[in-house]
Amino acid sequence: SGRVLIIRESMQYSVCFFFSSRRRHTRCSGVSWARRCVQETVLRFYRKRVDQGDEFQVHQTEYVKDNLDPVWMPITLETSRLCGSNLSTPFRIECLDDQEDKNFRYIGEATISINEIAQGARQITLKDGKKDKSRGTLEIINFRLTKKPSFLGYLKAGERINLVTAIDFTQSNGEPDLPFSLHK
């Protein structure tokens, strides 16, 4: 008699964001932001490790060139990657400019959770991490949270599984105890 063991999977979602940004017009080394400082703007997404508490980068957007109010391509991420499948866990978004010398200039950052976005938070204030000063706004133009079907969900919906097994009783594979045997 056989036995089938099914382990319950946690609910999986994917999230799709569509971001744009409006920055406060500032000056950079005495030169107008719009004329010289805007190079290539990028967003980076960070998540905290549950066990260690440190952060690691989970996603980086494409670069938007020479645009004071950039709009990024839609971003689709698994919630397991972005927030460990816990929709209440906050993640950090960092906005940077990539300068001509390939050094990043920090613009600002924001911390938010999927639940906050799902409840209607569409304007995220970018703040200077040290001074807590507003550096602009990150706007979520479109947001979609999609439930991903699990293996168990497929089975509940009527998916059929066929299993074929075979046992090779021939001796052409050699003695099972020998290291050159084909049994291993």
Side-chain angles (χ1 to χ4, degrees):
S1 82
R3 202 167 90 169
V4 176
L5 176 66
I6 298 177
I7 299 172
R8 184 183 173 275
E9 299 173 338
S10 62
M11 189 65 65
Q12 293 292 322
Y13 292 94
S14 69
V15 63
C16 182
F17 299 105
F18 193 55
F19 283 103
S20 72
S21 175
R22 276 185 250 133
R23 294 188 222 156
R24 292 185 63 214
H25 296 271
T26 61
R27 293 186 150 311
C28 175
S29 303
V31 180
S32 167
W33 176 296
R35 280 189 27 229
R36 186 119 189 265
C37 294
V38 177
Q39 295 298 326
E40 296 179 345
T41 308
V42 65
L43 294 178
R44 288 183 179 169
F45 293 77
Y46 294 89
R47 167 186 165 190
K48 279 194 175 182
R49 292 184 208 274
V50 176
D51 53 348
Q52 298 166 355
D54 62 336
E55 288 186 327
F56 63 98
Q57 183 178 329
V58 294
H59 184 73
Q60 178 173 307
T61 63
E62 81 282 1
Y63 293 94
V64 178
K65 294 186 178 197
D66 298 325
N67 190 336
L68 190 59
D69 297 324
V71 176
W72 287 272
M73 298 292 290
I75 302 163
T76 302
L77 295 170
E78 304 296 321
T79 55
S80 59
R81 186 172 174 196
L82 184 62
C83 56
S85 296
N86 182 349
L87 305 182
S88 298
T89 301
F91 56 92
R92 185 169 63 95
I93 305 170
E94 189 177 61
C95 187
L96 304 162
D97 264 346
D98 186 10
Q99 301 295 300
E100 290 176 359
D101 59 1
K102 294 300 174 196
N103 288 324
F104 287 99
R105 188 170 57 78
Y106 177 81
I107 295 171
E109 65 183 59
T111 302
I112 195 163
S113 71
I114 299 292
N115 278 344
E116 290 173 304
I117 297 169
Q119 292 170 3
R122 294 296 190 263
Q123 300 278 333
I124 306 168
T125 302
L126 291 172
K127 299 209 176 198
D128 186 338
K130 299 170 189 143
K131 301 175 188 172
D132 204 33
K133 179 181 173 185
S134 177
R135 301 290 306 250
T137 305
L138 197 58
E139 182 179 352
I140 301 173
I141 299 170
N142 195 355
F143 168 77
R144 186 174 64 243
L145 186 63
T146 307
K147 181 179 171 184
K148 291 185 68 184
S150 67
F151 177 71
L152 197 53
Y154 280 115
L155 292 179
K156 285 182 179 178
E159 183 71 29
R160 294 177 56 190
I161 297 176
N162 293 320
L163 175 67
V164 177
T165 59
I167 299 174
D168 184 2
F169 287 109
T170 65
Q171 292 188 359
S172 63
N173 293 332
E175 189 65 35
D177 298 335
L178 299 176
F180 54 83
S181 168
L182 296 177
H183 288 282
K184 297 186 184 200

